[in-house]
Amino acid sequence: MKRNTHQQQTVLDVLDTFKGTHPTADKIYEQVSLYMPTISRATVYRILNNVAEEGVVQRVHLPASADRYDDHLGHHYHMRCNQCGLIFDVAMPVMESIYKKLPATSEYEVSGHDIVFTGLCAKCKASNKQ
Amino acid sequence: MKRNTHQQQTVLDVLDTFKGTHPTADKIYEQVSLYMPTISRATVYRILNNVAEEGVVQRVHLPASADRYDDHLGHHYHMRCNQCGLIFDVAMPVMESIYKKLPATSEYEVSGHDIVFTGLCAKCKASNKQ
DNA sequence: ATTTATGCAAATCATTTGCACATAG
DNA sequence: CTATGTGCAAATGATTTGCATAAAT
Protein backbone atom coordinates (compact mmCIF):
# COMPACT_ATOMS: atom_id res chain seq x y z
CA MET A 1 0.00 0.00 0.00
CA LYS A 2 1.10 3.56 -0.60
CA ARG A 3 2.90 5.47 2.10
CA ASN A 4 2.41 8.97 3.28
CA THR A 5 5.86 10.53 3.04
CA HIS A 6 7.07 13.95 3.95
CA GLN A 7 8.18 14.64 0.36
CA GLN A 8 4.84 13.62 -1.06
CA GLN A 9 3.04 15.93 1.31
CA THR A 10 5.36 18.81 0.46
CA VAL A 11 4.89 18.32 -3.29
CA LEU A 12 1.13 18.26 -2.77
CA ASP A 13 1.30 21.42 -0.67
CA VAL A 14 3.41 23.24 -3.24
CA LEU A 15 1.16 22.07 -6.03
CA ASP A 16 -1.64 23.77 -4.16
CA THR A 17 0.14 27.11 -4.26
CA PHE A 18 0.46 26.80 -8.04
CA LYS A 19 -3.25 26.50 -8.70
CA GLY A 20 -4.17 27.73 -12.15
CA THR A 21 -0.60 28.47 -13.22
CA HIS A 22 0.22 25.27 -15.13
CA PRO A 23 3.70 24.77 -13.66
CA THR A 24 6.34 22.49 -15.16
CA ALA A 25 7.75 19.67 -13.05
CA ASP A 26 10.93 21.67 -12.71
CA LYS A 27 9.17 24.77 -11.43
CA ILE A 28 7.52 22.59 -8.82
CA TYR A 29 10.85 21.01 -7.94
CA GLU A 30 12.48 24.43 -7.51
CA GLN A 31 9.77 25.54 -5.13
CA VAL A 32 9.73 22.28 -3.17
CA SER A 33 13.51 22.55 -2.75
CA LEU A 34 13.02 25.74 -0.81
CA TYR A 35 11.15 23.85 1.89
CA MET A 36 13.06 20.61 1.52
CA PRO A 37 16.55 21.31 0.16
CA THR A 38 17.56 17.64 0.08
CA ILE A 39 14.70 16.40 -2.09
CA SER A 40 15.77 15.05 -5.44
CA ARG A 41 14.39 16.08 -8.79
CA ALA A 42 13.66 12.42 -9.53
CA THR A 43 11.43 12.16 -6.48
CA VAL A 44 9.43 15.20 -7.53
CA TYR A 45 9.01 13.77 -11.02
CA ARG A 46 7.96 10.44 -9.55
CA ILE A 47 5.44 11.97 -7.21
CA LEU A 48 4.00 14.10 -9.99
CA ASN A 49 3.63 11.02 -12.15
CA ASN A 50 1.80 9.33 -9.32
CA VAL A 51 -0.63 12.11 -8.60
CA ALA A 52 -1.32 12.46 -12.31
CA GLU A 53 -1.92 8.73 -12.46
CA GLU A 54 -4.33 8.99 -9.54
CA GLY A 55 -6.14 11.84 -11.27
CA VAL A 56 -5.31 14.45 -8.64
CA VAL A 57 -3.81 16.64 -11.36
CA GLN A 58 -3.69 16.42 -15.09
CA ARG A 59 -0.42 16.11 -16.97
CA VAL A 60 -0.47 18.31 -20.05
CA HIS A 61 1.80 17.60 -23.00
CA LEU A 62 2.71 20.68 -25.00
CA PRO A 63 4.25 20.56 -28.45
CA ALA A 64 8.00 21.18 -28.31
CA SER A 65 8.21 22.04 -24.64
CA ALA A 66 8.12 20.62 -21.14
CA ASP A 67 4.98 19.07 -19.74
CA ARG A 68 2.79 21.04 -17.38
CA TYR A 69 0.67 20.01 -14.43
CA ASP A 70 -2.84 21.31 -14.23
CA ASP A 71 -5.09 21.20 -11.17
CA HIS A 72 -8.14 22.00 -13.28
CA LEU A 73 -9.61 18.57 -13.92
CA GLY A 74 -12.66 19.52 -15.97
CA HIS A 75 -12.93 19.25 -19.71
CA HIS A 76 -10.95 22.06 -21.24
CA TYR A 77 -8.04 22.84 -23.52
CA HIS A 78 -4.89 24.87 -23.30
CA MET A 79 -3.45 27.76 -25.12
CA ARG A 80 0.09 29.05 -25.23
CA CYS A 81 0.79 32.69 -25.90
CA ASN A 82 3.26 33.05 -28.76
CA GLN A 83 4.59 36.20 -27.22
CA CYS A 84 5.00 35.64 -23.49
CA GLY A 85 4.71 31.87 -23.31
CA LEU A 86 1.81 31.93 -20.87
CA ILE A 87 -0.18 28.71 -20.75
CA PHE A 88 -3.81 29.20 -19.89
CA ASP A 89 -7.09 27.36 -19.94
CA VAL A 90 -9.53 27.65 -22.77
CA ALA A 91 -13.08 26.55 -22.10
CA MET A 92 -14.35 24.95 -25.27
CA PRO A 93 -17.70 23.31 -24.80
CA VAL A 94 -18.07 22.99 -28.54
CA MET A 95 -15.15 20.60 -28.49
CA GLU A 96 -17.01 18.17 -26.31
CA SER A 97 -18.96 17.01 -29.30
CA ILE A 98 -15.91 16.70 -31.48
CA TYR A 99 -16.14 12.93 -31.72
CA LYS A 100 -19.61 13.14 -33.18
CA LYS A 101 -18.31 15.34 -35.93
CA LEU A 102 -15.83 12.80 -37.17
CA PRO A 103 -16.86 11.28 -40.49
CA ALA A 104 -19.55 8.69 -39.81
CA THR A 105 -17.77 6.19 -42.00
CA SER A 106 -14.75 6.17 -39.73
CA GLU A 107 -13.35 2.75 -39.22
CA TYR A 108 -11.07 3.99 -36.53
CA GLU A 109 -12.15 4.88 -33.03
CA VAL A 110 -11.26 8.09 -31.25
CA SER A 111 -10.96 7.88 -27.50
CA GLY A 112 -9.09 11.07 -26.75
CA HIS A 113 -7.23 14.00 -28.17
CA ASP A 114 -4.53 16.45 -27.19
CA ILE A 115 -5.03 19.99 -28.29
CA VAL A 116 -2.98 23.10 -27.69
CA PHE A 117 -3.86 26.43 -29.20
CA THR A 118 -1.26 29.02 -29.94
CA GLY A 119 -1.67 32.73 -30.36
CA LEU A 120 -1.68 35.69 -28.01
CA CYS A 121 -2.91 35.88 -24.46
CA ALA A 122 -5.09 38.78 -23.40
CA LYS A 123 -2.17 40.69 -21.89
CA CYS A 124 0.02 40.41 -24.97
CA LYS A 125 -2.79 41.19 -27.35
CA ALA A 126 -3.64 44.32 -25.36
CA SER A 127 -0.03 45.41 -25.04
CA ASN A 128 0.42 45.19 -28.78
CA LYS A 129 -2.26 47.80 -29.33
CA GLN A 130 -0.43 50.51 -27.46
CA MET B 1 22.28 31.33 -51.37
CA LYS B 2 21.39 27.74 -50.62
CA ARG B 3 23.43 24.99 -52.21
CA ASN B 4 22.32 21.83 -53.83
CA THR B 5 24.19 19.11 -51.98
CA HIS B 6 24.25 15.39 -52.46
CA GLN B 7 22.93 14.80 -48.93
CA GLN B 8 20.06 17.20 -49.38
CA GLN B 9 19.02 15.46 -52.56
CA THR B 10 19.21 12.06 -50.92
CA VAL B 11 17.09 13.17 -47.98
CA LEU B 12 14.54 14.60 -50.41
CA ASP B 13 14.51 11.38 -52.39
CA VAL B 14 14.05 9.24 -49.32
CA LEU B 15 11.36 11.56 -48.03
CA ASP B 16 9.54 10.82 -51.25
CA THR B 17 9.52 7.11 -50.58
CA PHE B 18 7.92 7.75 -47.20
CA LYS B 19 4.87 9.54 -48.56
CA GLY B 20 1.90 9.19 -46.27
CA THR B 21 3.76 7.29 -43.57
CA HIS B 22 4.66 10.13 -41.18
CA PRO B 23 8.24 9.08 -40.53
CA THR B 24 10.34 10.34 -37.63
CA ALA B 25 13.62 12.11 -38.37
CA ASP B 26 15.43 9.01 -37.21
CA LYS B 27 13.54 6.69 -39.52
CA ILE B 28 14.52 8.97 -42.36
CA TYR B 29 18.12 9.02 -41.18
CA GLU B 30 18.22 5.22 -41.04
CA GLN B 31 16.98 4.95 -44.59
CA VAL B 32 19.25 7.68 -45.92
CA SER B 33 22.24 5.95 -44.32
CA LEU B 34 21.63 2.94 -46.53
CA TYR B 35 22.36 5.06 -49.59
CA MET B 36 24.90 7.31 -47.94
CA PRO B 37 26.53 5.53 -45.01
CA THR B 38 28.71 8.49 -44.04
CA ILE B 39 25.90 11.01 -43.58
CA SER B 40 25.48 12.25 -40.06
CA ARG B 41 22.29 12.29 -38.09
CA ALA B 42 22.79 16.01 -37.47
CA THR B 43 22.78 16.70 -41.18
CA VAL B 44 19.53 14.84 -41.66
CA TYR B 45 17.95 16.74 -38.79
CA ARG B 46 19.23 20.01 -40.24
CA ILE B 47 17.93 19.27 -43.70
CA LEU B 48 14.56 18.24 -42.34
CA ASN B 49 14.37 21.48 -40.40
CA ASN B 50 15.14 23.36 -43.58
CA VAL B 51 12.56 21.66 -45.75
CA ALA B 52 9.95 22.07 -43.03
CA GLU B 53 10.90 25.75 -42.84
CA GLU B 54 10.49 26.05 -46.59
CA GLY B 55 7.10 24.38 -46.39
CA VAL B 56 8.06 21.32 -48.43
CA VAL B 57 6.93 19.10 -45.58
CA GLN B 58 5.16 19.72 -42.34
CA ARG B 59 6.77 19.01 -39.00
CA VAL B 60 4.27 17.39 -36.66
CA HIS B 61 4.71 17.53 -32.90
CA LEU B 62 3.14 14.62 -31.08
CA PRO B 63 2.54 14.55 -27.34
CA ALA B 64 5.23 12.52 -25.55
CA SER B 65 6.96 11.20 -28.65
CA ALA B 66 9.29 12.10 -31.47
CA ASP B 67 8.26 14.57 -34.12
CA ARG B 68 7.06 13.32 -37.50
CA TYR B 69 7.41 14.70 -40.98
CA ASP B 70 4.34 14.83 -43.15
CA ASP B 71 4.26 15.41 -46.90
CA HIS B 72 0.54 16.11 -46.78
CA LEU B 73 0.43 19.90 -46.67
CA GLY B 74 -3.32 20.48 -46.63
CA HIS B 75 -5.39 21.28 -43.59
CA HIS B 76 -5.78 18.13 -41.56
CA TYR B 77 -5.07 16.57 -38.20
CA HIS B 78 -3.35 13.48 -36.94
CA MET B 79 -4.34 10.50 -34.95
CA ARG B 80 -2.21 7.97 -33.15
CA CYS B 81 -3.41 4.45 -32.61
CA ASN B 82 -3.15 3.51 -28.94
CA GLN B 83 -2.56 -0.08 -29.88
CA CYS B 84 -0.09 -0.16 -32.76
CA GLY B 85 1.22 3.40 -32.67
CA LEU B 86 0.26 4.15 -36.24
CA ILE B 87 0.08 7.83 -37.05
CA PHE B 88 -2.42 8.66 -39.74
CA ASP B 89 -4.22 11.62 -41.21
CA VAL B 90 -7.68 12.64 -40.13
CA ALA B 91 -9.59 14.93 -42.45
CA MET B 92 -11.56 17.28 -40.27
CA PRO B 93 -13.18 20.04 -42.30
CA VAL B 94 -15.29 20.96 -39.30
CA MET B 95 -12.14 22.03 -37.53
CA GLU B 96 -11.47 24.68 -40.09
CA SER B 97 -14.05 26.86 -38.43
CA ILE B 98 -12.76 26.21 -34.96
CA TYR B 99 -11.62 29.77 -34.43
CA LYS B 100 -15.11 31.07 -35.02
CA LYS B 101 -16.39 28.82 -32.29
CA LEU B 102 -14.19 30.30 -29.62
CA PRO B 103 -16.15 32.42 -27.16
CA ALA B 104 -16.89 35.75 -28.81
CA THR B 105 -15.73 37.58 -25.71
CA SER B 106 -12.22 36.22 -26.05
CA GLU B 107 -9.61 38.76 -25.28
CA TYR B 108 -6.92 36.47 -26.53
CA GLU B 109 -6.25 35.71 -30.17
CA VAL B 110 -5.87 32.21 -31.57
CA SER B 111 -3.60 31.90 -34.57
CA GLY B 112 -3.03 28.17 -34.61
CA HIS B 113 -3.47 24.93 -32.77
CA ASP B 114 -1.85 21.53 -32.47
CA ILE B 115 -4.18 18.62 -32.22
CA VAL B 116 -3.53 14.92 -32.03
CA PHE B 117 -6.26 12.38 -31.58
CA THR B 118 -5.66 9.08 -29.88
CA GLY B 119 -7.62 5.89 -30.14
CA LEU B 120 -7.55 2.88 -32.44
CA CYS B 121 -6.70 2.76 -36.11
CA ALA B 122 -8.93 0.80 -38.46
CA LYS B 123 -6.67 -2.24 -38.41
CA CYS B 124 -6.46 -2.44 -34.64
CA LYS B 125 -10.15 -1.82 -34.17
CA ALA B 126 -10.97 -4.59 -36.62
CA SER B 127 -8.46 -7.01 -35.13
CA ASN B 128 -9.99 -6.54 -31.70
CA LYS B 129 -13.32 -7.86 -32.91
CA GLN B 130 -12.02 -11.27 -33.79
C1' DA C 1 37.97 31.90 -53.48
C1' DT C 2 34.44 32.28 -50.50
C1' DT C 3 30.73 30.89 -48.18
C1' DT C 4 27.43 27.50 -47.10
C1' DA C 5 26.97 22.66 -45.71
C1' DT C 6 28.67 18.66 -43.40
C1' DG C 7 30.57 15.41 -39.85
C1' DC C 8 31.69 14.66 -35.46
C1' DA C 9 31.29 14.87 -30.81
C1' DA C 10 29.60 17.15 -27.20
C1' DA C 11 25.77 19.75 -25.23
C1' DT C 12 21.07 20.31 -24.14
C1' DC C 13 16.56 19.60 -22.23
C1' DA C 14 13.06 16.89 -20.12
C1' DT C 15 12.46 12.91 -18.05
C1' DT C 16 13.26 8.19 -16.45
C1' DT C 17 15.69 4.44 -14.21
C1' DG C 18 18.92 1.22 -11.49
C1' DC C 19 20.41 0.53 -7.26
C1' DA C 20 21.78 0.95 -2.50
C1' DC C 21 19.89 3.07 1.45
C1' DA C 22 16.26 5.19 4.30
C1' DT C 23 11.79 5.02 6.47
C1' DA C 24 6.71 4.59 6.99
C1' DG C 25 3.47 1.19 8.33
C1' DC D 1 10.41 -6.19 10.03
C1' DT D 2 9.74 -5.52 5.11
C1' DA D 3 8.00 -3.36 1.39
C1' DT D 4 7.68 1.08 -0.56
C1' DG D 5 9.86 5.53 -1.21
C1' DT D 6 13.98 8.27 -1.83
C1' DG D 7 18.57 10.17 -3.38
C1' DC D 8 22.01 9.98 -6.37
C1' DA D 9 24.07 9.53 -10.53
C1' DA D 10 23.83 7.74 -14.73
C1' DA D 11 20.94 6.59 -18.76
C1' DT D 12 17.61 7.82 -22.04
C1' DG D 13 15.62 9.89 -26.21
C1' DA D 14 15.12 13.54 -29.28
C1' DT D 15 17.20 17.14 -30.99
C1' DT D 16 20.50 20.96 -31.41
C1' DT D 17 25.00 23.16 -31.59
C1' DG D 18 30.13 24.50 -31.86
C1' DC D 19 33.72 23.97 -34.57
C1' DA D 20 37.06 22.48 -37.87
C1' DT D 21 36.81 20.62 -42.46
C1' DA D 22 34.71 19.66 -47.00
C1' DA D 23 32.51 20.94 -51.05
C1' DA D 24 29.32 23.77 -54.00
C1' DT D 25 29.11 27.93 -56.52
Side-chain angles (χ1 to χ4, degrees):
Chain A
M1 53 229 64
K2 88 179 102 183
R3 291 173 185 182
N4 196 16
T5 67
H6 191 187
Q7 15 281 96
Q8 261 178 69
Q9 197 47 60
T10 309
V11 170
L12 267 290
D13 289 349
V14 165
L15 215 35
D16 230 53
T17 71
F18 274 112
K19 268 190 184 307
T21 66
H22 305 90
T24 60
D26 241 61
K27 263 247 164 335
I28 296 161
Y29 164 71
E30 262 178 47
Q31 193 61 25
V32 171
S33 313
L34 297 181
Y35 298 93
M36 191 178 263
T38 59
I39 199 171
S40 104
R41 190 178 258 97
T43 297
V44 174
Y45 274 85
R46 268 186 289 234
I47 292 170
L48 288 173
N49 272 348
N50 291 346
V51 294
E53 192 73 28
E54 294 160 17
V56 176
V57 293
Q58 200 182 338
R59 184 173 179 169
V60 181
H61 295 292
L62 300 178
S65 61
D67 294 350
R68 307 292 182 126
Y69 288 89
D70 189 353
D71 56 277
H72 180 180
L73 298 175
H75 193 223
H76 67 283
Y77 296 96
H78 297 99
M79 182 165 158
R80 164 171 40 211
C81 179
N82 284 335
Q83 196 163 308
C84 71
L86 179 71
I87 306 295
F88 59 102
D89 289 349
V90 181
M92 282 280 284
V94 68
M95 295 295 285
E96 290 178 21
S97 57
I98 202 166
Y99 305 148
K100 293 167 199 146
K101 289 176 182 166
L102 280 169
T105 54
S106 292
E107 289 161 336
Y108 48 81
E109 184 176 303
V110 180
S111 61
H113 54 272
D114 283 17
I115 189 167
V116 182
F117 294 93
T118 50
L120 295 176
C121 69
K123 206 168 104 186
C124 286
K125 188 178 178 184
S127 81
N128 285 355
K129 284 184 180 162
Q130 291 157 8
Chain B
M1 58 227 63
K2 88 180 99 183
R3 291 172 183 184
N4 195 16
T5 68
H6 191 188
Q7 16 281 94
Q8 259 177 70
Q9 197 47 60
T10 309
V11 170
L12 267 291
D13 289 350
V14 164
L15 216 34
D16 231 54
T17 71
F18 274 111
K19 268 191 186 308
T21 66
H22 306 87
T24 59
D26 242 61
K27 264 248 165 332
I28 295 161
Y29 164 72
E30 262 179 47
Q31 192 61 25
V32 170
S33 313
L34 297 181
Y35 299 93
M36 191 178 263
T38 59
I39 200 171
S40 103
R41 189 176 257 98
T43 298
V44 174
Y45 273 86
R46 269 186 289 234
I47 292 171
L48 289 172
N49 272 349
N50 293 346
V51 295
E53 192 73 28
E54 293 159 19
V56 175
V57 292
Q58 202 183 337
R59 183 173 179 168
V60 181
H61 295 292
L62 298 179
S65 62
D67 293 351
R68 307 292 182 128
Y69 288 89
D70 189 352
D71 55 277
H72 180 180
L73 298 176
H75 192 223
H76 68 283
Y77 296 94
H78 297 99
M79 182 164 159
R80 166 172 36 212
C81 178
N82 285 334
Q83 196 163 307
C84 71
L86 178 72
I87 306 295
F88 60 103
D89 290 348
V90 181
M92 282 279 285
V94 69
M95 293 297 285
E96 290 177 21
S97 57
I98 201 166
Y99 304 148
K100 293 165 199 146
K101 290 178 182 165
L102 281 169
T105 53
S106 291
E107 288 161 338
Y108 48 80
E109 184 174 303
V110 180
S111 61
H113 54 272
D114 284 16
I115 188 168
V116 182
F117 294 93
T118 51
L120 294 176
C121 70
K123 206 169 102 187
C124 284
K125 188 179 178 184
S127 82
N128 285 354
K129 284 185 181 164
Q130 293 158 4

